[in-house]
Amino acid sequence: PNDKNILDLDNVRGKITSNQRSTIYIVSDSAEYNSSTLDSKFYKNVVINYEDKQITCENFDINMDTNIAIAYNNVVVTDPKSIMKAGKITLNIETKEININPANKKTKVQINKL
């Protein structure tokens, strides 16, 4: 209510397109979109599809100024050959570089081959 640039969204369907990269599709129960910065915060039952990979998580934030997207809270990455569980994944939208981290120092990133 205090910032007219921020939109609260329900039952969200979005995509990130590029002339040089494959489209990233995003679905979530809810999101917050800032129309002045183009930043988005997706939350609750987030599903991200990119090529043959699917990422599920509870939160997914995109900062368009830095081209950084962060998936966190119960992150699971599935591709045709494996399933990976992590605490947080940071993705550079432009370069597609990925940084994968465990939930905390006492846990590890878990990868299971299919």
Side-chain angles (χ1 to χ4, degrees):
N2 297 334
D3 190 342
K4 298 201 184 301
N5 292 321
I6 296 181
L7 302 171
D8 288 322
L9 308 168
D10 291 321
N11 194 24
V12 182
R13 306 285 182 264
K15 63 182 175 179
I16 301 171
T17 59
S18 166
N19 292 335
Q20 301 166 343
R21 307 269 185 227
S22 298
T23 300
I24 299 170
Y25 297 93
I26 307 163
V27 175
S28 70
D29 289 350
S30 302
E32 185 178 279
Y33 174 71
N34 187 320
S35 61
S36 65
T37 64
L38 306 179
D39 294 344
S40 300
K41 295 182 179 196
F42 299 87
Y43 53 96
K44 294 182 186 168
N45 300 311
V46 181
V47 179
I48 303 131
N49 285 293
Y50 172 71
E51 293 180 353
D52 64 348
K53 294 168 190 56
Q54 182 177 76
I55 301 171
T56 60
C57 58
E58 289 302 314
N59 300 87
F60 184 62
D61 299 347
I62 302 171
N63 183 317
M64 295 307 286
D65 284 335
T66 61
N67 287 314
I68 298 295
I70 302 172
Y72 55 101
N73 292 330
N74 301 317
V75 181
V76 178
V77 180
T78 306
D79 67 28
K81 296 182 181 180
S82 65
I83 297 174
M84 179 185 64
K85 295 180 182 180
K88 179 171 118 176
I89 295 178
T90 304
L91 168 68
N92 183 312
I93 297 169
E94 275 188 335
T95 64
K96 302 298 185 247
E97 291 177 33
I98 293 178
N99 186 358
I100 302 167
N101 295 293
N104 57 56
K105 292 181 181 180
K106 294 181 181 180
T107 63
K108 295 180 180 182
V109 173
Q110 179 183 355
I111 300 173
N112 297 319
K113 290 184 180 181
L114 295 177

